[in-house]
Amino acid sequence: MASETTSSPDGRPPLPVRKGRAGRYLPDTVTQSVKILVVGPFGVGKTTLTASVSEIEPLRTEERMTEASVGVDDLRGLESKTETTVAMDFGRITLNPALVLYLFGAPGQRRFWDLWQGLVVGAVGLLVLVDTRRLEDCFDVLDQWEAHRLPFIVAVNRFPGSEDFDDDEIREALDIPFSTPVVQCDATDPLQSGEALRTLAAHALACREEEALK
Amino acid sequence: MTAGEPGRPQVPGYVHTTGRTETETEIGWSLETLLRVTSSALPLNGPLSSRSHRRLFSDCAGLTSVVEAAAHMRQPVSVVRVLAEELVASGHLAVPTPHHPTRAHDSAPSRELLQEVLDGLRNHEFA
């Protein structure tokens, strides 16, 4: 299931190898599916992270939404409506012969989530992807997701030119509990992205065990 | 709704409770819900013979999920889910029975399932 890489003896970085090594269909032995939601503002790297760990080329699903135009005065009293297509990219990882994990790069804005029925329901947790150059773009995302009370971690996608902040500075700026894991992650790197997923899964398990003790 | 050949895989109970016009979020149906054909020899008749039904049925030649079938069909998940519900009700498709039941009131993954996810991620070779 792991991608092939071409290692070179002189220490150069390996060449990227095209995805698509997993088949279109899941192994017949799979009986259960779970999901992790990768959330964050537009352009933060949700699809990049999904693509770096997915065993298939990320796929795209679209839903149409109709909304009333805001701030439009219509003297005839007719409501002006526009139709928008909202896209969500996703990938998958077959974790063992019986279990598959889906990764959904969910849109940042709350009003889009309800387009996909059951998007949030039953998720392992949320991987909140942030860009420290525009941290405020994530405030809205966090406001909304915290209301769902799903376990989440913060992954700081390191963009070239972004300054270093330590984990506590990130927690303070985002006003999230001290117990929330924060990881640094280059979303283009499968190893770092995979480690972020492991951190989230471990956190979700810890949250569940803590809940059971209450 | 429950009529079918002997030996046909059992459809989980929650599937039966999902009416096709239901718009509420139903526990058990989600984007990642798995789908498999029960028997590719079953004919698609009457209201199940539409192009969309036939396309979904043939897209489920192997084990897949609602969201993957939707992406390949270039149809919204909401549309494909309704088709899938109808084909599950008619016995053409089945939803595999999960080996870890999820919590009834909020569909949260069980502790055992979370452990299995973590183990799977730890053993997975990312690169």
Side-chain angles (χ1 to χ4, degrees), chain B:
Chain B
M1 215 168 160
T2 52
E5 303 75 21
R8 180 166 68 81
Q10 284 295 299
V11 175
Y14 53 76
V15 172
H16 296 297
T17 67
T18 307
R20 68 157 299 196
T21 56
E22 194 71 62
T23 52
E24 299 290 315
T25 298
E26 286 285 331
I27 292 170
W29 275 104
S30 192
L31 289 81
E32 71 277 15
T33 299
L34 300 172
L35 293 171
R36 69 161 87 250
V37 287
T38 51
S39 163
S40 53
L42 273 182
L44 289 164
N45 295 323
L48 299 180
S49 62
S50 79
R51 181 188 296 204
S52 297
H53 286 96
R54 282 185 279 123
R55 175 71 205 274
L56 174 61
F57 190 55
S58 64
D59 266 19
C60 293
L63 184 64
T64 189
S65 59
V66 174
V67 72
E68 276 195 75
H72 287 293
M73 290 171 72
R74 298 179 189 279
Q75 291 282 337
V77 177
S78 51
V79 170
V80 172
R81 187 185 132 174
V82 172
L83 298 170
E85 284 175 17
E86 290 173 338
L87 290 174
V88 167
S90 65
H92 290 83
L93 298 181
V95 177
T97 307
H99 54 278
H100 292 300
T102 49
R103 198 159 67 185
H105 69 276
D106 60 358
S107 294
S110 64
R111 205 206 69 82
E112 292 73 20
L113 180 54
L114 291 173
Q115 183 70 59
E116 196 178 322
V117 171
L118 179 58
D119 293 343
L121 286 168
R122 281 184 176 150
N123 295 331
H124 190 80
E125 273 186 56
F126 292 100

Side-chain angles (χ1 to χ4, degrees), chain A residues 31-200:
Chain A
T31 55
Q32 192 141 27
S33 54
V34 289
K35 66 188 161 194
I36 282 174
L37 308 178
V38 182
V39 300
F42 182 77
V44 76
K46 300 184 292 287
T47 303
T48 305
L49 186 142
T50 300
S52 77
V53 294
S54 175
E55 67 194 16
I56 53 169
E57 282 288 344
L59 294 165
R60 172 163 293 190
T61 170
E62 294 182 340
E63 292 284 337
R64 284 183 289 273
M65 75 181 291
T66 307
E67 54 187 343
S69 299
V70 178
V72 176
D73 284 328
D74 193 324
L75 295 175
R76 294 164 300 177
L78 296 171
E79 222 172 79
S80 172
K81 291 194 174 177
T82 53
E83 193 164 87
T84 319
T85 300
V86 184
M88 179 165 68
D89 292 335
F90 66 96
R92 68 160 137 93
I93 305 170
T94 304
L95 292 178
N96 69 38
L99 182 64
V100 63
L101 169 66
Y102 281 93
L103 300 167
F104 292 107
Q109 289 167 284
R110 170 74 184 87
R111 63 201 178 99
F112 293 149
W113 306 337
D114 292 339
L115 291 177
W116 287 276
Q117 284 182 29
L119 173 63
V120 184
V121 176
V124 168
L126 317 170
L127 197 152
V128 180
L129 205 52
V130 305
D131 176 354
T132 52
R133 297 169 305 175
R134 45 191 189 99
L135 211 53
E136 62 278 9
D137 290 358
C138 305
F139 294 170
D140 181 46
V141 173
L142 281 168
D143 284 348
Q144 303 301 336
W145 285 112
E146 280 183 328
H148 284 281
R149 299 183 167 277
L150 285 176
F152 71 95
I153 70 158
V154 170
V156 180
N157 191 11
R158 301 290 299 276
F159 286 90
S162 54
E163 285 187 55
D164 287 339
F165 296 96
D166 68 37
D167 296 352
D168 279 342
E169 287 178 297
I170 300 284
R171 288 190 189 96
E172 200 173 322
L174 293 174
D175 189 25
I176 54 174
F178 186 71
S179 56
T180 308
V182 174
V183 297
Q184 305 284 326
C185 168
D186 174 352
T188 63
D189 181 351
L191 292 174
Q192 292 183 34
S193 300
E195 197 50 44
L197 294 176
R198 289 176 185 139
T199 303
L200 172 58

